Amino acid sequence: MRILLTGASGFIGQHLLRALLAEGHHVVCAVRTPKTSTDPHLSYVHADFAKDTDKSVWMARLSKVEAVINTVGIFRESGSQTFERLHLETPRALFAACAESEQVRMVIQLSALGADREADTRYHLSKRAADDYLAGLPVRAYIVQPSLVYGKEGSSARVFKGLASMPFAVRFGSAPQLVQPVHIDDVVGAILALLGGRTPHRLPLAPGVTSMRVPLVGPQALPFTDYLARLRGAMGMGRLRVLPLPGALARLMAKFGRWLPGGLLDEEALRMLDRGNTGDPTVIARLLGRPLKTIEEFVTDPQAERTLAKLSWLLPTLRWSIVAVWIATAIVSFGLYPVEASYDLLARTGIPPAWQALMLYGAATFDLLLGLGIAFLPRRRWLWLAQLALIGFYTVVIAFKLPEFLLHPYGPLTKNLPMLAAIWLLYELEEEK
């Protein structure tokens, strides 16, 4: 079957792409940056969901296409990447083109559990509007609605395992906050089953009915903190301590969450969590024809995943502590420590009086810039190397010129050794961009 797949570079899209190719389908990936493929069953076409809101644009891409799978979705808006464009306007143009095409026999829309009549967040409302539009078209359509989808390399799974590995978890408010996590393999398997003609019920679609909503959930609904506890146990860790947070304070934290880059908590996310995220697991189980994966089966390498989970929050903690060291050092050098005493230390290292002010305030400014660079620059590998060189230089000069600091009982100079080791660790683990 020739299939048009949108969102092929996303988490679910990538898994679907591999599975579709493994089953021998020809996949046309609609992406913003097309690639050159050597696989005869894989091709790419340019598409931009932030711009392609005209039906005619999609008609041109549906040549010889028999099925369309739309997996495009965002959790937070950014610039032109809005819910209105990516979840509603462009999918509506795509679905209208599918309905007019004489070749497209099926559309599978990746929606979300909660995109229903009780939806009250912009994320869910935009998904529901697109789902309703598709359901009203004369084309066979399956609207799949997954709960929390777990995959080892998924960003949300990394965050949740990181939360599970922390000394304690926070419970935001008193709502049940039920979730029903489902493994990515089960999600992909269910979509492939629908594509192959299997239905989640014993009978196919009734006469005159062209669409069906299909919940994709795990085998068990449980409170979100219990989900974290189960992940923690699967990684071989002890009992999870839970800190209850009053609802008013939780909502206040959520207001600030929207300003945190990459964070999952904001006001809408908290409302979705409070509402719950559950469905009937027998539907997906019938599609798969096998038992669903349990949370304990999510973690396949406990030791490695436990280490990565801890690093996900320990490394940022270490980075921000070094930011604090550089900024505090700069503030102290700018005048909190007596300036004359600083000049005396510089003189003892061989700096002439005419250069002492420039050296003191120049070094303080450089320290401040280092701290700000570590905090805000996206590429930091060169900064770690600069710090290693700078601290190493300071250590050698002070050891020879001011030996009392080397032999001081508080160890102001020898403490540079763990600082150097921490910076080297951050350099080695920094992703190359």
Side-chain angles (χ1 to χ4, degrees):
M1 186 181 295
R2 186 177 179 88
I3 301 166
L4 178 73
L5 175 64
T6 68
S9 60
F11 166 58
I12 295 178
Q14 289 182 51
H15 281 266
L16 262 176
L17 174 59
R18 289 194 292 268
L20 291 169
L21 292 174
E23 291 212 341
H25 296 290
H26 185 114
V27 185
V28 181
C29 296
V31 294
R32 279 185 293 177
T33 307
K35 304 175 184 178
T36 301
S37 173
T38 57
D39 187 336
H41 290 92
L42 175 63
S43 58
Y44 291 87
V45 294
H46 171 74
D48 188 344
F49 264 58
K51 299 176 181 178
D52 297 346
T53 58
D54 190 280
K55 177 179 65 176
S56 62
V57 174
W58 289 102
M59 286 295 296
R61 296 167 180 155
L62 294 178
S63 175
K64 299 181 181 178
V65 167
E66 300 166 84
V68 171
I69 305 176
N70 176 40
T71 70
V72 171
I74 54 173
F75 190 70
R76 277 188 177 173
E77 295 179 310
S78 176
S80 62
Q81 306 285 303
T82 65
F83 294 141
E84 186 72 15
R85 280 294 177 95
L86 272 65
H87 289 178
L88 178 56
E89 292 182 3
T90 300
R92 192 161 51 191
L94 169 60
F95 300 154
C98 291
E100 287 192 16
S101 169
E102 295 181 356
Q103 296 168 314
V104 174
R105 305 199 308 263
M106 181 189 303
V107 176
I108 298 178
Q109 153 78 340
L110 186 72
S111 182
L113 206 62
D116 51 32
R117 293 180 180 178
E118 274 114 45
D120 65 349
T121 62
R122 294 175 60 240
Y123 172 83
H124 276 149
L125 289 169
S126 60
K127 283 287 189 180
R128 174 191 164 187
D131 298 347
D132 290 347
Y133 181 80
L134 175 59
L137 293 174
V139 61
R140 186 183 184 91
Y142 290 106
I143 299 162
V144 296
Q145 300 176 308
S147 180
L148 297 179
V149 180
Y150 178 93
K152 183 184 295 187
E153 70 279 23
S155 57
S156 63
R158 288 195 297 268
V159 170
F160 295 151
K161 284 190 291 188
L163 292 174
S165 71
M166 296 181 78
F168 61 87
V170 177
R171 180 180 175 82
F172 295 95
S174 58
Q177 298 178 344
L178 296 177
V179 296
Q180 205 163 339
V182 59
H183 197 276
I184 181 63
D185 291 347
D186 292 343
V187 170
V188 170
I191 293 175
L192 291 178
L194 291 170
L195 197 64
R198 189 181 301 173
T199 60
H201 303 296
R202 298 187 186 282
L203 297 175
L205 294 177
V209 177
T210 59
S211 68
M212 180 183 294
R213 285 172 167 82
V214 183
L216 301 182
V217 297
Q220 181 184 1
L222 69 171
F224 179 68
T225 51
D226 286 3
Y227 173 42
L228 297 182
R230 294 272 293 274
L231 283 176
R232 184 181 178 90
M235 290 187 292
M237 304 178 70
R239 183 175 65 88
L240 178 68
R241 296 175 178 86
V242 179
L243 175 65
L245 200 65
L249 186 55
R251 289 188 292 273
L252 180 62
M253 288 186 63
K255 285 182 182 293
F256 290 102
R258 75 177 77 176
W259 306 109
L260 299 177
L264 291 180
L265 180 69
D266 59 18
E267 294 168 282
E268 288 210 343
L270 182 58
R271 290 213 307 276
M272 287 190 280
L273 184 62
D274 283 346
R275 180 189 166 187
N277 202 259
T278 62
D280 180 5
T282 61
V283 177
I284 181 173
R286 188 173 291 131
L287 277 172
L288 295 173
R290 59 169 173 78
L292 298 168
K293 288 192 176 184
T294 64
I295 295 171
E296 286 68 28
E297 294 177 285
F298 288 3
V299 177
T300 56
D301 189 344
Q303 183 176 352
E305 293 183 52
R306 180 172 66 246
T307 300
L308 290 175
K310 289 183 176 181
L311 287 176
S312 71
W313 57 273
L314 286 171
L315 288 179
T317 301
L318 181 59
R319 178 166 71 92
W320 282 100
S321 68
I322 292 176
V323 168
V325 167
W326 286 115
I327 293 179
T329 302
I331 293 172
V332 168
S333 300
F334 275 126
L336 288 184
Y337 187 77
V339 173
E340 293 304 322
S342 295
Y343 287 164
D344 179 61
L345 292 173
L346 288 171
R348 292 177 58 196
T349 61
I351 304 299
W355 289 88
Q356 289 171 7
L358 178 63
M359 292 295 294
L360 174 62
Y361 295 112
T365 301
F366 188 65
D367 291 347
L368 179 62
L369 292 175
L370 273 177
L372 295 175
I374 299 166
F376 300 112
L377 288 180
R379 300 186 180 187
R380 293 181 293 264
R381 284 177 63 85
W382 68 273
L383 275 176
W384 301 127
L385 292 176
Q387 290 167 82
L388 290 171
L390 183 63
I391 295 174
F393 173 75
Y394 282 165
T395 301
V396 171
V397 170
I398 294 172
F400 281 98
K401 298 292 186 178
L402 305 170
E404 67 271 22
F405 289 107
L406 182 62
L407 304 175
H408 197 284
Y410 287 168
L413 200 59
T414 53
K415 286 175 181 174
N416 281 348
L417 294 177
M419 182 79 164
L420 287 167
I423 291 172
W424 184 255
L425 173 68
L426 289 165
Y427 168 77
E428 289 292 342
L429 296 181
E430 182 87 24
E431 292 185 7
E432 296 189 35
K433 299 178 181 179

